[in-house]
Amino acid sequence: MTAPVQETAHQQALQVSLSGFSLINSPRLNKGTAFSDHERDVFDLHGLLPPHVGSLEEQLERRMKALEKQPTPFAQYSFLRDLQDTNETVFYALVVRNVEQMLPFVYTPTVGEGCQRFSEIWRKPRGLFLSYPNKNRIARILDHARYDNVKCIVVSDGERILGLGDQGAGGMGIPIGKMALYTALGGIHPENCLPILLDVGTDNEERLNDPIYIGWRNKRVRGPHYDDFVDTFVSAVKARWPHVLLQWEDFAGSNAARFLARYRNQLCTFNDDIQGTAAITTATLISAINVTGIPLEQQKILVVGFGSAGLGITNLLEQFIEERGLSPAQARARFYAMDQYGLISEGRKNVEAEQLPYAREEQEVQSWRPSNGEITLLDVVRNVKPTVLIGVSGQAGIFTEQVVREMAKYTNRPVIFPLSNPTSRSEATPQHLMDWTEGRALIGTGSPYDPVDFAGKKIHMAQTNNSYIFPGLALGIIASRARFVTDSMVKAAATELIRHLPTQTDKQAALLPPISQARPLGRLIADAVGRQAIKDGQAQVADEDALQRELDANIWEPQYIPYERKK
């Protein structure tokens, strides 16, 4: 852990109106045993607390010991959720000082089980559940004074939680987790963050039949009624906070892309599943290219899973390829894409309009078809001989041994990214990929994995974790007070991370920086995003000096400050 942070006389005291039980029960203000004797006098805390006056450092040591005794990852997730709802300063200090250890329990992969079992562990209100029966109350709910300082929102409708599908109200675990990382890795004050779950029902029979399910026990609302509900929500948000940042999270693929397109020019908004995933995947691929030495414009990239995430990755990579001198058509020709119906081709049914630019000509792929007429992943690998294989399909094990060995025949250092999470939905395990490629694969995973054993060595895997991107992206948007989020601002986030890749100077290095560096990287990414917002004419700060002042003002450190009774 870092050196202790002590309260000092020059710290300006916070004026607090709560006292007694109300103060202790406020997770944002609670200090537990760290309330000073003076504060115990002023706020009527004597007798409610044990006599020992402790410090944040002692509390962190105590909580870490308790955390490590939890028997399972889910128990650790639940423990940390309780801690967040009890004392936010301790929670965030614990995460900030132990990022690599804490991240799997605060977010992926454990948050998946946290969403599935959310009804078991829900205890205290955090964020807002906006249910369909309360459609006409949304504006009134948002109007409460406790939300006056909100600057950013993460919203989900719980329909496509990671690779686990519809979790209904349990999907609230995702906005809560994302907002925790806004603070831990971006430094955004918890008071400025509001997680929201749009509860429009669920089609998950297990949830509907669960007697302790906390959500609206109804089949999922769809069609015009659903769209009208979302529009009512967005209109209420715009009226309440005209300059808020709204992040869409874990909506079903068609809705994710649709809502981003519909609202991106109405308010400041982005979708992390589409844009954040694209940014981190692009940076990780460029890191792998630093190792292989094959230029990006010469790569043959096969994307398996061509919904909103796959399209987002491909669209951003295309921009980077065009920068290297290729025309849009030439850049698109570097990609081959597959969805649940097979290869995206011009003659195929069920090709969406946004997929069409990447459709292969029928004449090109006709000879690939076996006698049954269906082009498989193995067929595509044999004919394309891809150098890069990216999976965002949610189909566990789809990168089979036969597919991977076939790919490895044609390229010395195959780049393989099984990005679906949690781990139960991964297209392949890193251990299998290393074994099937004789240790030659360059691997990026969606979830964290333990180091792989190969040839007597422990090899660490790069987790292509959106947490490298979205906290800094959000901080830059907030600090610049951007009106809208442009594609070039997302690209600036990826470009800044690329500047700090270990493989820029050492081909033997890990593909990504340690996740423990995510918070300082977040500040650098925020700066790049803010400067791009200024260039794009979207910022409401005067210049880069003003941006720096806003960045400083919007970064919160989890430490205790003195309290005084508000008069």
Side-chain angles (χ1 to χ4, degrees):
M1 290 187 178
T2 57
V5 178
Q6 301 291 342
E7 293 181 5
T8 56
H10 70 268
Q11 286 180 299
Q12 184 175 358
L14 180 67
Q15 300 294 307
V16 175
S17 58
L18 300 178
S19 63
F21 273 117
S22 297
L23 179 56
I24 293 173
N25 287 325
S26 168
R28 197 157 296 162
L29 297 173
N30 184 26
K31 296 184 183 182
T33 57
F35 280 108
S36 68
D37 278 326
H38 171 71
E39 290 168 333
R40 296 179 190 214
D41 286 337
V42 171
F43 294 102
D44 302 319
L45 298 175
H46 286 297
L48 297 179
L49 296 169
H52 172 70
V53 176
S55 67
L56 177 58
E57 300 306 317
E58 292 173 349
Q59 292 174 329
L60 291 175
E61 183 178 357
R62 187 182 301 124
R63 291 302 88 200
M64 181 62 83
K65 286 181 178 179
L67 177 67
E68 290 171 345
K69 289 180 180 178
Q70 301 303 310
T72 65
F74 176 72
Q76 291 176 304
Y77 169 85
S78 181
F79 176 89
L80 288 170
R81 282 287 300 107
D82 281 346
L83 180 58
Q84 185 182 17
D85 288 341
T86 303
N87 185 322
E88 288 186 350
T89 304
V90 172
F91 169 79
Y92 285 112
L94 199 65
V95 177
V96 167
R97 302 182 191 200
N98 306 275
V99 171
E100 195 162 352
Q101 183 178 351
M102 296 296 149
L103 209 56
F105 306 127
V106 174
Y107 203 60
T108 55
T110 317
V111 71
E113 186 175 0
C115 291
Q116 291 174 308
R117 301 173 64 180
F118 192 84
S119 296
E120 293 178 36
I121 62 172
W122 187 87
R123 294 177 180 86
K124 294 183 179 181
R126 176 165 292 273
L128 288 174
F129 291 88
L130 301 179
S131 62
Y132 188 78
N134 282 329
K135 174 184 174 182
N136 296 327
R137 298 187 179 97
I138 290 177
R140 183 159 33 120
I141 292 169
L142 300 185
D143 195 47
H144 197 283
R146 70 172 65 94
Y147 308 122
D148 285 351
N149 294 322
V150 167
K151 294 182 179 180
C152 49
I153 293 169
V154 173
V155 63
S156 179
D157 71 349
E159 185 172 9
R160 199 233 65 184
I161 297 301
L162 305 175
L164 301 171
D166 189 348
Q167 299 302 320
M172 178 57 117
I174 296 295
I176 288 174
K178 284 281 184 179
M179 296 261 75
L181 298 185
Y182 267 51
T183 299
L185 305 184
I188 300 168
H189 198 294
E191 190 174 51
N192 301 147
C193 300
L194 180 62
I196 294 180
L197 192 285
L198 301 181
D199 187 359
V200 291
T202 178
D203 291 334
N204 186 325
E205 292 294 335
E206 186 177 353
R207 299 291 161 267
L208 290 173
N209 295 326
D210 183 353
I212 65 169
Y213 177 58
I214 64 171
W216 181 46
R217 206 176 295 269
N218 204 81
K219 286 289 188 179
R220 186 170 284 274
V221 176
R222 299 191 182 278
H225 293 295
Y226 171 73
D227 285 1
D228 185 49
F229 180 74
V230 173
D231 200 55
T232 298
F233 161 70
V234 172
S235 297
V237 166
K238 287 162 57 180
R240 178 66 165 95
W241 305 285
H243 306 297
V244 78
L245 167 62
L246 176 66
Q247 178 191 322
W248 305 89
E249 188 69 30
D250 281 4
F251 284 74
S254 58
N255 290 330
R258 198 163 56 89
F259 290 149
L260 180 61
R262 179 185 297 178
Y263 296 116
R264 66 182 307 170
N265 294 320
Q266 294 188 33
L267 77 167
C268 186
T269 189
F270 75 97
N271 185 302
D272 188 52
D273 301 314
I274 299 173
Q275 295 158 293
T277 300
I280 185 58
T281 304
T282 296
T284 313
L285 176 54
I286 289 175
S287 190
I289 289 169
N290 290 341
V291 178
T292 67
I294 301 171
L296 179 61
E297 64 272 20
Q298 294 178 22
Q299 300 286 336
K300 289 189 285 187
I301 302 169
L302 174 54
V303 180
V304 181
F306 212 53
S308 56
L311 271 163
I313 292 167
T314 307
N315 289 336
L316 184 57
L317 280 170
E318 184 196 333
Q319 293 178 45
F320 276 82
I321 292 173
E322 286 180 34
E323 280 188 349
R324 288 155 173 78
L326 274 65
S327 69
Q330 290 172 325
R332 288 194 294 270
R334 307 312 302 172
F335 296 94
Y336 299 79
M338 300 187 70
D339 64 8
Q340 60 182 318
Y341 303 108
L343 183 71
I344 305 294
S345 60
E346 291 178 347
R348 204 201 76 182
K349 295 179 181 179
N350 301 311
V351 176
E352 303 293 335
E354 59 269 22
Q355 297 173 326
L356 271 175
Y358 298 100
R360 309 305 299 193
E361 293 183 1
E362 185 62 24
Q363 183 178 356
E364 175 189 7
V365 304
Q366 198 166 22
S367 63
W368 302 2
R369 297 186 188 280
S371 57
N372 65 6
E374 183 177 330
I375 300 175
T376 68
L377 176 56
L378 182 60
D379 294 325
V380 177
V381 170
R382 281 176 175 154
N383 287 278
V384 172
K385 301 177 177 58
T387 55
V388 177
L389 180 59
I390 298 172
V392 280
S393 67
Q395 298 183 56
I398 195 173
F399 293 172
T400 64
E401 180 174 1
Q402 191 176 13
V403 164
V404 173
R405 288 192 182 278
E406 187 71 21
M407 179 186 180
K409 286 181 184 178
Y410 310 114
T411 179
N412 183 46
R413 299 301 304 272
V415 178
I416 307 178
F417 293 171
L419 299 183
S420 294
N421 56 43
T423 49
S424 62
R425 295 295 189 271
S426 180
E427 287 81 5
T429 68
Q431 185 68 62
H432 282 151
L433 294 178
M434 292 299 283
D435 291 341
W436 297 337
T437 62
E438 295 77 42
R440 293 183 284 125
L442 293 163
I443 301 168
T445 64
S447 288
Y449 280 88
D450 291 332
V452 168
D453 290 309
F454 189 82
K457 295 181 180 179
K458 293 276 189 183
I459 302 171
H460 290 265
M461 294 296 109
Q463 186 191 358
T464 57
N465 191 325
N466 293 21
S467 301
Y468 284 102
I469 295 292
F470 71 80
L473 176 62
L475 177 61
I477 292 166
I478 291 169
S480 65
R481 300 202 295 277
R483 296 177 181 87
F484 302 109
V485 182
T486 63
D487 288 339
S488 56
M489 289 161 65
V490 177
K491 187 167 178 283
T495 301
E496 183 64 22
L497 179 57
I498 288 166
R499 291 183 59 241
H500 302 280
L501 294 172
T503 56
Q504 295 283 26
T505 55
D506 180 4
K507 289 188 175 185
Q508 304 303 314
L511 295 184
L512 290 169
I515 194 67
S516 58
Q517 295 180 17
R519 188 173 171 101
L521 280 170
R523 169 64 190 253
L524 296 170
I525 289 170
D527 185 29
V529 169
R531 284 186 280 109
Q532 187 63 50
I534 294 171
K535 290 178 186 176
D536 291 347
Q538 297 299 332
Q540 297 180 75
V541 293
D543 51 32
E544 292 189 14
D545 288 341
L547 173 65
Q548 297 305 316
R549 291 192 294 271
E550 286 293 324
L551 284 169
D552 290 338
N554 277 282
I555 292 177
W556 174 75
E557 296 295 340
Q559 62 190 57
Y560 291 135
I561 61 174
Y563 295 166
E564 290 293 347
R565 190 71 175 260
K566 188 174 183 179
K567 296 182 172 57

